[in-house]
């Protein structure tokens, strides 16, 4: 049903038949297999990732970490270490708890997620957009450069609710329920699309 990942940390797939999550690739001890072992391994075939309470997965995104959206609107993150600046999990990440999926607190009714490296967004129905991560390059709409370690509600000032978001960590675009496209962030190569760099 869905496939994502990068060559440096492996690949994730959501199996359409039963909404389970699978991983394969090279895990250099950063927890990308999400099995809790932290082993440096090469997984040549898909291996099922344990999901808390056997929840059904509807979306997975990955970059420096894995972010998983379940059918009940909850979000889990894991893998990639506990560096709040590079791979902020949205929860207090200490020791080796990044080796398995942990629920991100403060989120409800999440319908889609975006990001997966230094920024994560959660669209919460038509009510709000929550975000956490590294704020450099204005990626989450703030000129405060300190990492946002837990989800915060964004005050975007848009004319309609957000339907979905995509981001490349330095700029972000949102499609609203009225089908208009809005962008913000760093525009060194014109990414925001407003004619300025």
């Amino acid at each position: 049903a869905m496939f994502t990942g990068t060559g440096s940390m492996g690949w994730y797939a959501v199996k359409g038949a039963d909404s389970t999550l699978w991983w394969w690739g090279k895990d250099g001890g950063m927890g990308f297999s999400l099995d809790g072992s932290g082993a440096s391994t090469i997984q040549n075939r898909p291996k099922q990732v344990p999901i808390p309470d056997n929840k059904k997965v509807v979306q997975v995104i990955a970059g420096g970490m894995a972010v998983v959206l379940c059918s009940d609107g909850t979000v889990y993150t894991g893998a990639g270490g506990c560096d709040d600046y590079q791979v902020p999990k949205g929860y207090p990440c200490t020791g080796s708890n990044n080796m398995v999926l942990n629920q991100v607190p403060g989120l409800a009714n999440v319908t889609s997620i975006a990001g997966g490296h230094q920024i994560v967004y959660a669209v919460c129905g038509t009510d709000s957009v929550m975000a956490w991560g590294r704020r450099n390059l204005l990626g989450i709409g703030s000129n405060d450069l300190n990492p946002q370690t837990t989800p915060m509600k964004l005050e975007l000032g848009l004319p309609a609710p957000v339907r979905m978001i995509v981001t490349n960590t330095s700029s972000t675009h949102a499609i609203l329920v009225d089908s208009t496209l809005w962008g913000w962030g760093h525009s060194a190569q014109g990414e925001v699309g407003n004619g300025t760099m």
Side-chain angles (χ1 to χ4, degrees), residues 2 4-5 9-15 18-25 27 30-38 41 43 45-62 65-70 76-79 97-102:
M2 175 164 211
T4 188
M9 47 75 62
W11 307 93
Y12 295 95
V14 178
K15 190 175 177 182
D18 57 10
S19 299
T20 54
L21 182 64
W22 298 75
W23 173 87
W24 66 98
D27 192 338
M30 296 297 287
F32 293 118
S33 60
L34 293 168
D35 63 1
S37 69
T41 185
Q43 182 71 29
R45 294 178 181 268
K47 172 182 178 181
Q48 189 170 354
V49 176
I51 303 296
D53 301 321
N54 294 313
K55 293 183 179 183
K56 302 297 184 185
V57 177
V58 295
Q59 186 182 1
V60 59
I61 57 176
M65 61 180 164
V67 187
V68 177
L69 171 61
C70 295
Y76 292 79
T77 63
N97 68 343
N98 65 294
M99 300 290 177
V100 296
L101 290 171
N102 294 274

